[in-house]
Every structure is written in structure tokens, then in C-alpha cells.
Amino acid sequence: MSLFEKIDHRRLPSHIAIIMDGNGRWAKARGLERAEGHREGVSAIRRVVEAAIRTSVKTLTLYAFSTENWYRPTEEIDGLMDLIVYAIAKETADLKKNGVSIASIGDLSRLPVNVREALESCIRETEGGRNLKLVIALSYSSKWEITEATRRITGDVIKGVLKAEDISEDTISRYLTTSEFPDPDLLIRTGGEQRISNFLLWQCAYAEFYFTETFWPDFSEEALYKAILDYQSRERRYGKTSEQI
């Protein structure tokens, strides 16, 4: 029996978030430039998107570029931005054909104009997709997101739109950039590191974490199925006892 056949499709994570780590180290291990690792990482995205559709996962969020990544060498950033534009242009038709709807989160104002325009075009062209919501986190960090939400909440309190005493957890969730998506059930990080690097801190309060040594360019359909099976082996109690579940 294949890994896919072992998956219980009645207990799927509805939202999987992935920290795609290890492109640079994958390239270094092969004596290649870091840019080669990023290019191979695009192929891994295609594989995982197809596998997510096959398993009927409804939302997939990919951490593509963090606000901290702006501190990387300029040459690497420029190469990544060019690759993002190329990948979006190349993949849009197939995404649309496969029923994938693109969304984005992050401080998009910091992106180069050509990247922002390519992304906005892809979002428009794929808006009718119903098989998978693919959320691209670009120029994103959770601390930035929570700070921005706090500013907006404060502004609405000052304007009288909100009362301070009425602010709840639900209020904060509504002001986050992810308000239209469910919280992740499963967070995957590739590349061997065991931290979540300022990614969806609020939203992952009760996500199951799955860390793998596999570098992102080597992450396959089977690797995703393995992560889902591991998720299905866990008991999700949300603070309750086993007897209450």
C-alpha cells in the first residue's frame, strides 16, 4: 500500500503551512550557487501543490520570503525576485487549469514593482480556482503582521469604530492579513531547523509541527504524504483531556 493510500481522507489537515528551508544548503552540498537551489525549490513547489490537490487539502501557505530576508546579500535578493516573476509567469496557466486560487500575505509594498504586478496579475487570473487556495507569504513576518493589526485596531478605537473593552481574540484574528483563511492545522519545516522563524505565530497556536531533515528542493509528494500521516497519528486535544475528545 502506498503512502497516499494510507491517508485517512476523513481526517485531513484543511490548512497546511510550509517553511521552505534548505535551498542554499542543498546547492552548497552539490558545489552549486545558491541561486541553483532556489530554482530547484520552484520545482518542489509544483510537486507539493499537485500533491495537495490530490489529497484534497483546501489551503496551502508557503513561506517564500520573510521580512528578515531583506537583509541577505543584494545579489541574492535580486536573483530571488527575478525568479519569483519568472515562476509566476510560467506557472499561472497551470495553476488556473488545476483550479488553484492564489492569494498573498506580507508587506507587498516593499516588493519591486514588477514582482508586485506579476503577483497581482496571477491573483486576478486564478481567482476562480476552487480546488486549492495557495497563499504565498512574501515579505512577511508574524511580528510585522501583528504590529500592523495593532495599529489598525488602535486607529479604529480612536475613530470610535471599536470599543477597547470589546477587543477579543476574534477581533485580533479579523485584523490579521490571514483573516479570510482558517488557521493552519499542520506546519511543516524542511531543512532540519526546528523553529518557526516569525511565521504565523498567532495562527499556529494549536498547529501540529512537523520538522524534517529533507532540504526543500528534495521535498517530494511522498514527503508531504508522510507528514500528513504523521499528523493523523496525533491526538489533537486543544487543551482538553483525551477523555473529552
Side-chain angles (χ1 to χ4, degrees), residues 8-235:
D8 182 350
H9 292 269
R10 298 166 300 177
R11 296 192 299 115
L12 286 170
S14 64
H15 183 178
I16 297 176
I18 304 180
I19 300 173
M20 306 179 294
D21 194 18
N23 290 347
R25 284 172 290 156
W26 180 92
K28 184 177 180 181
R30 289 160 176 75
L32 303 172
E33 296 294 325
R34 289 177 62 87
E36 290 297 324
H38 295 313
R39 278 190 280 272
E40 284 298 318
V42 172
S43 297
I45 291 174
R46 187 182 306 114
R47 291 194 299 269
V48 169
V49 166
E50 290 173 355
I53 294 171
R54 188 183 182 200
T55 54
S56 299
V57 169
K58 293 304 179 185
T59 306
L60 177 66
T61 298
L62 302 178
Y63 202 8
F65 192 87
S66 73
T67 55
E68 289 81 10
N69 288 153
W70 289 114
Y71 297 108
R72 290 188 175 187
T74 301
E75 182 180 352
E76 181 174 352
I77 293 173
D78 291 344
L80 273 169
M81 294 297 124
D82 289 343
L83 180 60
I84 288 169
V85 172
Y86 168 79
I88 289 173
K90 185 174 185 295
E91 299 296 332
T92 296
D94 281 342
L95 291 169
K96 187 175 180 179
K97 178 182 176 182
N98 292 325
V100 178
S101 174
I102 296 292
S104 64
I105 56 174
D107 185 3
L108 303 186
S109 66
R110 298 185 66 179
L111 296 175
V113 173
N114 63 329
V115 177
R116 196 161 59 246
E117 289 179 346
L119 182 60
E120 290 170 351
S121 175
C122 184
I123 290 171
R124 286 194 303 270
E125 289 193 44
T126 62
E127 63 181 356
R130 295 293 178 266
N131 291 333
L132 177 71
K133 176 70 74 173
L134 178 59
V135 185
I136 308 298
L138 272 173
S139 188
Y140 172 89
S141 80
S142 199
K143 288 185 176 181
W144 163 84
E145 178 186 36
I146 293 170
T147 300
E148 289 300 305
T150 303
R151 286 183 180 140
R152 291 173 56 212
I153 290 170
T154 302
D156 281 349
V157 169
I158 292 171
K159 289 184 290 187
V161 176
L162 277 175
K163 293 182 180 179
E165 60 268 25
D166 292 335
I167 295 173
S168 65
E169 291 181 10
D170 287 341
T171 307
I172 295 171
S173 293
R174 289 199 307 273
Y175 278 76
L176 296 176
T177 60
T178 55
S179 59
E180 65 181 287
F181 317 122
D183 288 345
D185 301 298
L186 172 62
L187 173 69
I188 299 170
R189 180 169 187 149
T190 64
E193 304 290 356
Q194 296 191 20
R195 58 178 179 270
I196 60 174
S197 296
N198 207 356
F199 184 48
L200 300 177
L201 300 178
W202 178 275
Q203 298 88 338
C204 282
Y206 272 102
E208 299 294 329
F209 290 1
Y210 180 87
F211 300 107
T212 174
E213 297 288 330
T214 303
F215 292 143
W216 177 247
D218 289 329
F219 198 79
S220 64
E221 297 93 332
E222 295 295 295
L224 180 67
Y225 302 151
K226 185 178 179 181
I228 292 173
L229 286 168
D230 184 86
Y231 165 86
Q232 292 184 339
S233 72
R234 306 184 191 185
E235 183 180 66

